[in-house]
Structure formats: structure tokens, C-alpha cells
Amino acid sequence: MKKLFLTIAVVFAFAAASNAQGVLKFNKEVHDFGKISEGPLATYNFEVTNTGTAPVVISNAQASCGCTTPEYSKDPIMPGGKSVIKVGYNTSGRPGAFTKTITVSSNAENSSVILTIKGEVTSAPAPAAAPAAAPNAKKKS
């Protein structure tokens, strides 16, 4: 009887351990920059929390184009732990509206999450023209 009880307990413990899964919960999945000036790099930090019961490792964060660059930690996010995915958008030479996505892949229960950044880049003001040179004053003789 003891062996049967021990076997059942081990099976339940193994089943519970195999069901342990991390879950990524983002503070938000869409960020709107609104209107931003052309030129500087626009950045936003997507905050993420592991609300599951097992560590989560982000294996990749892939942007939809080369003008968007995601940065993330390769360290495991422990249950209850937090991390940040920093996304940068190069506004230089890109006036107009934009919508870009970042696909985050991990070993979490929600193994693929799509983050979105959007906004409108306003053209940089034209460089100020150099003041016209003053005409040469007549030289005194």
C-alpha cells in the first residue's frame, strides 16, 4: 500500500512539474508615439512580467523592418520577475505615418507575442539659410 501511495504521489508531482509554464504579460502591446520630429531615434520600453510558474527565456525579438531595432535581455525572467524590451525607431529620412511590429518569441505559454509601435514623423525644419554677406564697405583712400 505504501508503494502504491508513493507511486501515485510521484506521478502527481511529475504531472504538476511538467505543467509549470511561464506566461509573459506586457504592460501594453501597442505604443503610439504620436507626432515626433524627424531625425532622432524614437525609443520605447515595453515592460514585461512573468506571471507564470516557470522561468521564461526570450529567444528572439524580430522587427518587421531594419528601421526598427529591439533590444532584450537573454537572462531568464523568473516567476514574478520583470524585464524590458527596448524598441528603437530610426526617424531620419522617414517623414509620414508609420506602424511597425516586433515579434517576441519565447518558451512561455504565449510563445509568440506581437508588439506594435506607431506614430507620425514630422519633417525636420529646413536648415536656416546663412545670412547674406554684407556688401563690402568702400575703402577709404
Side-chain angles (χ1 to χ4, degrees):
M1 186 69 168
K2 259 186 175 177
K3 283 186 178 182
L4 178 63
F5 179 71
L6 184 60
T7 303
I8 292 173
V10 168
V11 168
F12 277 116
F14 181 74
S18 65
N19 286 334
Q21 189 80 37
V23 178
L24 292 182
K25 174 81 173 145
F26 287 86
N27 63 329
K28 63 182 190 176
E29 294 182 12
V30 177
H31 177 70
D32 188 347
F33 285 104
K35 291 188 180 202
I36 52 177
S37 297
E38 180 182 356
L41 184 68
T43 61
Y44 181 74
N45 290 336
F46 286 95
E47 296 176 13
V48 61
T49 303
N50 178 357
T51 61
T53 57
V56 173
V57 176
I58 296 173
S59 57
N60 195 19
Q62 182 68 43
S64 58
C65 76
C67 57
T68 305
T69 53
E71 297 175 18
Y72 59 96
S73 174
K74 314 292 192 264
D75 296 334
I77 306 168
M78 302 310 284
K82 296 181 183 235
S83 189
V84 169
I85 297 177
K86 180 179 178 180
V87 177
Y89 177 70
N90 182 0
T91 63
S92 184
R94 294 183 173 85
F98 67 91
T99 300
K100 304 297 176 186
T101 60
I102 302 89
T103 303
V104 179
S105 302
S106 70
N107 65 329
E109 182 178 292
N110 50 338
S111 62
S112 182
V113 176
I114 296 176
L115 306 175
T116 303
I117 58 170
K118 62 184 179 177
E120 183 179 351
V121 177
T122 57
S123 296
N136 290 341
K138 292 184 181 179
K139 294 181 182 178
K140 293 184 181 178
S141 319

